[in-house]
Amino acid sequence: PETCKDILVMIGMRGLAAVLCIASVAAFSPAPGIFRFKGASSNLAMHKSIRLPVMRSALRMDLELDNRATATDDALMQHALKKDRKPVESKVVVVGLSHKTTTVEVREKLAVQEPRWQEVGRALTELSAVSEAAVLSTCNRFEIYFVTNDVHQGIREVTEYLSRRSNLSITELRKHLFMLSEGEAVWHGLRVASGLDSLVIGEGQILSQIKRCYELSTEKEGAAGKILGRMLNTAVSAGKRVRSETGIARGGVSISSAAVELVEKRCIADLGLDMSQLDICILGAGKMARLLVQHLIPRNVKSITILNRSPERSQELANSFPDFKINLGSMEEMLPQVAKNHVTFACTGAMEPILFQANLEPVIAKDTILVDISVPRNVDDVGANLVPRVHAYNVDDLKAVVASNQARRRRLVLEAEDLLQDEMSTFANWKHSLATVPMINKLQMRAERIRKDELRKAEKKLSGLSVSERDVVDRLTKGIVAKLLHGPMSHLKTVDNAVDINLTVKSLEAMFKL
């Protein structure tokens, strides 16, 4: 015999096949209860009810099964029931500080160099309340993303860990930390990756840092699991969407960034060079100088030289950008450096011009751009523009750029947040769908147990079958079970709303006595 039909005819098992089909249908028919539908929707809700007929059978899933199940089946079922008896949802939490909450003196005490991100992440997962962790540490922020079943305990343990690591008291540390959980934590992560939480809104470096955080935390030595890995991946995708679909990364929003943008627009016309060919000189080492460096580095300028009266302050600024070699000098070198470099930015605290027609004419021998972003002015732009080959701009030349970019940026932020809402909704629905996994597992385990139990009952009648014939019957029963499970499992996987998922899971548990 080569077909299932021939086998059943040979051993008189047509009746058995019918019994198996009826048994399987009966086994998965819902217990006496009500399917509730809301309007025309497939969502389960209390609006319209249809009572389903009940099949009287000893094979019903909600009735006690035969005690002859194997010890292995019993152990697996007990483990599943015990595991799902008190389901606790894993929650995403972020604890950290940034340029908005504290000074660099505090941030540097918590800072973690990139090569140690994985090490700190693993140390965090050794805490009793933390199951997954990832570290993000940059010059402007330090953040710990982690997953926990107990938000309060998780935050307490992470805060205590940071206190020990930084030698700051918990009281002092909490003055600077922000703590967000679940939706707020995910929303924060998406805004960070998109540059909306940056010192300069829309800056792109943070996206590459978030991407690196994702890569390191999801590697073998990392401490991110399914939830945190998915969240960080969503953040990277969100950041890319915002930058590509809104253009928020373009356009200055501060005096310093506008000054750099102005040079970027004028360098070809005034100098005949692009940004990558420019040697830059910055007079001053304060906040505006720091922002200038921050905007110049991503544009791949050829070199940057900082002149300042205080060598210590210049060195501190240079140390803030370890990946780019910054040349340092004193203000006594000002005129030779202005003559040597293509562009000079002036942002000192001088109360009167330090660059003017009389001291520029003897030294300028090539096309030069002077950009004064100081008030009072450091450059006498009227006199400087009388010097051949000098192109001088003052802060008034930047106001239009800043004002137009600020208005444009406000609109783009709103557009960006609309995109982030979509990304956050996708992540939230995926996370909520994890609640259906235990239900699917229980349905599969119950189905497999019933199938094996019924085959054991028919063992004597099947004793005459060969090994290959038994394999046919085994595949036949598995196929019946798989087709019956396909409907409810497919529905569970497609429900994308947390409320609907909870209602569906509870209804299936009640109907099938799971």
Side-chain angles (χ1 to χ4, degrees):
E2 297 179 352
T3 65
C4 181
K5 181 177 179 181
D6 292 332
I7 296 170
L8 295 177
V9 170
M10 180 186 71
I11 61 175
M13 291 296 292
R14 288 183 177 178
L16 175 60
V19 169
L20 287 172
C21 292
I22 295 172
S24 299
V25 173
F28 290 96
S29 62
I34 297 176
F35 273 118
R36 297 180 175 87
F37 303 91
K38 187 172 182 179
S41 171
S42 62
N43 298 336
L44 299 175
M46 296 181 64
H47 178 67
K48 183 178 179 182
S49 63
I50 303 174
R51 187 173 297 277
L52 298 178
V54 178
M55 293 187 67
R56 302 298 178 185
S57 169
L59 301 177
R60 287 282 308 286
M61 289 181 69
D62 55 323
L63 298 180
E64 185 176 358
L65 296 173
D66 192 283
N67 291 328
R68 288 176 290 177
T70 65
T72 300
D73 290 338
D74 287 335
L76 289 172
M77 183 60 68
Q78 289 302 318
H79 174 73
L81 293 174
K82 181 179 180 180
K83 184 177 180 180
D84 296 312
R85 188 173 294 125
K86 294 182 180 180
V88 180
E89 184 182 4
S90 295
K91 293 179 170 59
V92 177
V93 181
V94 59
V95 171
L97 42 80
S98 71
H99 59 92
K100 293 182 177 180
T101 66
T102 189
T103 62
V104 67
E105 287 78 17
V106 175
R107 295 203 304 273
E108 67 185 8
K109 291 181 180 179
L110 288 169
V112 178
Q113 296 299 313
E114 185 180 299
R116 298 191 61 199
W117 287 4
Q118 292 179 328
E119 175 189 336
V120 174
R122 292 194 301 271
L124 287 165
T125 56
E126 293 177 2
L127 302 174
S128 63
V130 177
S131 58
E132 303 178 30
V135 177
L136 175 67
S137 182
T138 73
C139 58
N140 285 323
R141 68 181 64 250
F142 172 79
E143 296 177 352
I144 300 292
Y145 292 88
F146 62 95
V147 174
T148 179
N149 290 335
D150 187 328
V151 172
H152 295 292
Q153 183 179 346
I155 289 177
R156 183 174 64 254
E157 291 182 358
V158 170
T159 304
E160 291 171 351
Y161 171 84
L162 295 179
S163 175
R164 293 192 300 271
R165 193 177 179 281
S166 63
N167 292 320
L168 292 171
S169 68
I170 292 179
T171 302
E172 179 66 20
L173 195 57
R174 282 178 175 167
K175 293 178 183 178
H176 309 286
L177 290 177
F178 62 82
M179 306 170 185
L180 303 171
S181 65
E182 267 304 82
E184 291 181 343
V186 176
W187 180 248
H188 173 77
L190 299 186
R191 294 189 86 253
V192 168
S194 303
L196 304 187
D197 196 63
S198 296
L199 183 64
V200 178
I201 295 177
E203 60 100 357
Q205 187 178 11
I206 188 62
L207 178 58
S208 62
Q209 291 164 335
I210 287 281
K211 183 179 179 182
R212 189 59 180 153
C213 173
Y214 164 71
E215 292 170 346
L216 290 175
S217 62
T218 54
E219 287 178 357
K220 184 178 180 181
E221 299 300 318
K226 179 186 293 186
I227 295 176
L228 206 53
R230 180 66 175 255
M231 193 280 284
L232 291 172
N233 182 262
T234 300
V236 173
S237 298
K240 291 179 178 178
R241 280 194 66 190
V242 166
R243 290 179 64 80
S244 64
E245 296 181 31
T246 68
I248 197 168
R250 297 190 297 272
V253 291
S254 68
I255 295 296
S256 297
S257 59
V260 173
E261 185 177 337
L262 177 65
V263 170
E264 189 173 29
K265 291 179 178 179
R266 298 298 309 170
C267 62
I268 297 293
D270 292 350
L271 306 176
L273 303 172
D274 61 31
M275 291 296 285
S276 65
Q277 298 173 292
L278 299 184
D279 293 309
I280 306 293
C281 177
I282 299 175
L283 307 180
K287 181 178 179 180
M288 281 197 258
R290 182 183 298 272
L291 290 175
L292 284 170
V293 175
Q294 184 172 334
H295 284 279
L296 287 167
I297 290 176
R299 288 170 167 82
N300 299 314
V301 295
K302 186 177 179 181
S303 70
I304 297 176
T305 300
I306 295 176
L307 305 183
N308 193 58
R309 289 185 174 86
S310 170
E312 294 79 10
R313 194 166 186 181
S314 297
Q315 188 62 56
E316 180 185 353
L317 194 159
N319 292 341
S320 300
F321 302 92
D323 296 330
F324 191 95
K325 178 174 174 50
I326 296 177
N327 304 310
L328 304 179
S330 66
M331 290 299 290
E332 285 73 19
E333 304 173 49
M334 180 181 69
L335 289 176
Q337 287 291 344
V338 170
K340 175 184 175 182
N341 289 277
H342 299 103
V343 179
T344 296
F345 292 94
C347 50
T348 75
M351 300 303 292
E352 58 186 23
I354 56 177
L355 291 174
F356 41 86
Q357 183 178 2
N359 65 359
L360 288 171
E361 281 183 333
V363 299
I364 298 300
K366 65 179 181 180
D367 289 327
T368 302
I369 291 178
L370 304 179
V371 183
D372 183 6
I373 57 175
S374 302
V375 178
R377 289 179 295 169
N378 288 176
V379 178
D380 176 11
D381 55 295
V382 176
N385 277 319
L386 297 177
V387 178
R389 311 189 76 171
V390 170
H391 308 272
Y393 302 92
N394 64 29
V395 70
D396 287 340
D397 296 312
L398 307 178
K399 286 183 178 179
V401 176
V402 173
S404 63
N405 281 329
Q406 284 177 333
R408 174 176 170 272
R409 196 62 61 96
R410 282 193 292 270
R411 174 177 58 80
L412 293 176
V413 167
L414 294 177
E415 291 180 11
E417 290 185 336
D418 286 340
L419 293 178
L420 296 187
Q421 288 285 2
D422 292 340
E423 295 290 338
M424 184 171 176
S425 177
T426 299
F427 173 78
N429 289 334
W430 170 83
K431 186 170 179 292
H432 287 307
S433 72
L434 297 178
T436 67
V437 174
M439 168 62 68
I440 291 174
N441 290 339
K442 286 193 287 186
L443 274 173
Q444 291 174 327
M445 291 175 66
R446 180 66 66 89
E448 182 62 11
R449 183 173 177 179
I450 291 172
R451 189 186 72 83
K452 289 182 177 180
D453 185 65
E454 294 307 309
L455 286 176
R456 281 191 293 270
K457 288 181 180 180
E459 180 64 32
K460 291 183 179 179
K461 297 179 180 179
L462 299 174
S463 59
L465 298 180
S466 66
V467 173
S468 60
E469 292 166 349
R470 282 179 174 273
D471 182 61
V472 171
V473 173
D474 189 64
R475 284 187 282 111
L476 171 67
T477 55
K478 285 183 177 179
I480 293 172
V481 168
K483 290 183 181 298
L484 289 168
L485 286 178
H486 178 72
M489 289 199 302
S490 296
H491 179 67
L492 282 170
K493 292 177 181 178
T494 56
V495 177
D496 60 0
N497 179 279
V499 175
D500 291 343
I501 288 173
N502 291 334
L503 285 172
T504 303
V505 168
K506 290 179 181 179
S507 297
L508 288 174
E509 285 178 338
M511 286 186 290
F512 295 113
K513 301 295 183 182
L514 296 176

